[in-house]
Amino acid sequence: MSATTVWQGRFMAMKVDGKWEYAARARGIGAAVILAIDGDAVLLVEQFRVPIGCRCLELPAGLVGDDLAGEGTEAAAARELEEETGYRAARIETVGVFYSSPGMVSESFTLVRATDLARVGAGGGVADEDITVHRVALSEIGGFVAARRAEGVAIDVKLLMLLGPMLLGGA
């Protein structure tokens, strides 16, 4: 069967394919998620997310080609990293494409690793994003995430990659 679009907005589309109902990104827009490593620390962002009704701790991320036709993933990642965190990366490399919740949404994201960072601005996002930037030592990530969760901040699933060793009984 082929999917039928039952509703489409500027960013999202609801689709039906046989018995499956799912959400998709409209207009073929992709997303870039940035694992920004600054020495022995990682950059995280925190912002209010309407669908869950609270602030969420996340890796920096953004849409690819939403406003700039033909924009590549690494260029979008560089732009979003600077807008959200105030850091510029000398190196950005693609890690791979991942799916966050493939039973409910068709959206994928390209994970990139940003290194050799330099602080060039305040960050915080654009317009009304109200992004808080956190520079967290990798050795303290477990405690930091637990503390933010205890304060009622939601935790994005992509942070599991940073928590993996602890969850598996490692470091």
Side-chain angles (χ1 to χ4, degrees):
M1 296 191 130
S2 64
T4 301
T5 301
V6 295
W7 177 87
Q8 182 168 324
R10 181 173 173 211
F11 296 106
M12 299 294 300
M14 295 304 301
K15 299 192 176 240
V16 175
D17 189 345
K19 68 176 186 169
W20 287 93
E21 298 173 344
Y22 62 94
R25 284 269 182 212
R27 300 178 289 128
I29 295 171
V33 175
I34 306 124
L35 179 59
I37 305 295
D38 188 26
D40 64 349
V42 64
L43 300 181
L44 303 176
V45 294
E46 184 179 313
Q47 62 186 312
F48 185 82
R49 292 297 194 178
V50 171
I52 58 175
C54 64
R55 293 185 69 77
C56 187
L57 186 66
E58 312 167 357
L59 293 172
L63 298 177
V64 178
D66 178 38
D67 292 326
L68 303 170
E71 180 181 43
T73 301
E74 292 180 7
R79 175 181 50 76
E80 289 288 348
L81 179 66
E82 192 168 330
E83 285 174 5
E84 291 191 0
T85 70
Y87 283 80
R88 184 175 295 151
R91 291 187 55 213
I92 294 182
E93 59 185 322
T94 297
V95 175
V97 175
F98 297 85
Y99 296 84
S100 56
S101 186
M104 192 168 136
V105 297
S106 64
E107 177 190 37
S108 65
F109 64 89
T110 301
L111 179 67
V112 302
R113 182 176 24 249
T115 54
D116 300 327
L117 304 181
R119 186 93 192 240
V120 296
V126 295
D128 61 351
E129 286 183 312
D130 188 27
I131 295 172
T132 302
V133 180
H134 301 283
R135 185 182 180 279
V136 183
L138 289 168
S139 62
E140 298 173 12
I141 196 75
F144 182 80
V145 169
R148 299 307 297 142
R149 179 181 281 126
E151 293 175 17
V153 174
I155 308 301
D156 187 287
V157 68
K158 292 177 280 306
L159 293 188
L160 283 173
M161 78 174 92
L162 299 173
L163 299 171
M166 290 168 274
L167 297 172
L168 295 171

